Amino acid sequence: MISTTIDQEIKQAMLAKDQAKLRGLRAIKAALLLAKTEKGHAEEISEDAEMKILQKLVKQRKKSATIYKEQGREDLYTVEQEEIDVISQFLPQQLEQADIEKIIARIISESGATSIKEMGKVMGLANKELAGKADGKLIGELVKTQLG
């Protein structure tokens, strides 16, 4: 579970006085605690759920970083980028676009999809197989390109 690792990493970051790492780790810890205490959740959350939470944190920060970059706020952009780097350490390695394209091509041929009308079926299979290894937006674009 990521929770125990995060606690240890926070202690190390505090001792090293690494503020950037500490911010990212605290964001992860806060998001995991929030998920644990939400109504209807068990005591512990699954590793799959933890990965989804971390992906959401990275996605939020990327969106914020893009906005800050457009507005010329390099100071805030740098903060978001540092947190993305820290959070990404706990996510599985992202696949290269060429590898994702090959996997999607295989999924399309195995599912027998031939037109854009079957995009939903292909997306379901692709998201299941590529969960945590590729960005959902990129998967959607690649599926649309290959089916279109």
Side-chain angles (χ1 to χ4, degrees):
M1 298 300 260
I2 293 175
S3 304
T4 54
T5 308
I6 296 297
D7 289 337
Q8 293 167 353
E9 292 280 332
I10 286 175
K11 288 176 190 172
Q12 291 173 356
M14 289 173 94
L15 291 172
K17 296 185 182 353
D18 186 346
Q19 294 302 314
K21 188 171 185 178
L22 196 53
R23 267 194 321 274
L25 293 169
R26 284 182 172 156
I28 295 170
K29 184 171 182 165
L32 292 175
L33 281 172
L34 184 66
K36 281 183 187 177
T37 58
E38 279 182 350
K39 202 173 190 176
H41 275 284
E43 279 293 311
E44 291 297 318
I45 53 177
S46 68
E47 284 190 46
D48 186 44
E50 286 179 338
M51 287 299 131
K52 287 181 181 175
I53 291 168
L54 295 181
Q55 288 170 332
K56 183 178 178 185
L57 291 174
V58 169
K59 186 176 180 180
Q60 289 170 339
R61 278 157 182 75
K62 282 183 179 179
K63 188 175 182 179
S64 296
T66 304
I67 292 169
Y68 292 143
K69 187 84 166 170
E70 289 170 359
Q71 294 178 348
R73 294 294 309 266
E74 288 297 319
D75 55 332
L76 297 175
Y77 171 78
T78 304
V79 169
E80 294 297 326
Q81 203 57 48
E82 290 170 347
E83 289 183 20
I84 289 169
D85 295 340
V86 172
I87 297 167
S88 296
Q89 293 173 2
F90 297 95
L91 288 170
Q93 186 67 36
Q94 297 288 296
L95 293 174
E96 296 294 322
Q97 185 167 337
D99 296 330
I100 299 168
E101 288 172 353
K102 289 176 190 171
I103 292 170
I104 290 173
R106 180 183 49 78
I107 291 170
I108 289 172
S109 67
E110 287 176 0
S111 69
T114 56
S115 71
I116 199 77
K117 292 178 183 175
E118 297 171 287
M119 184 173 172
K121 177 171 75 171
V122 175
M123 282 297 295
L125 296 169
N127 282 331
K128 194 173 192 177
E129 187 168 329
L130 295 168
K133 299 176 189 170
D135 181 50
K137 187 175 180 181
L138 177 62
I139 293 171
E141 290 170 2
L142 295 174
V143 168
K144 189 180 278 187
T145 302
Q146 290 187 25
L147 284 175

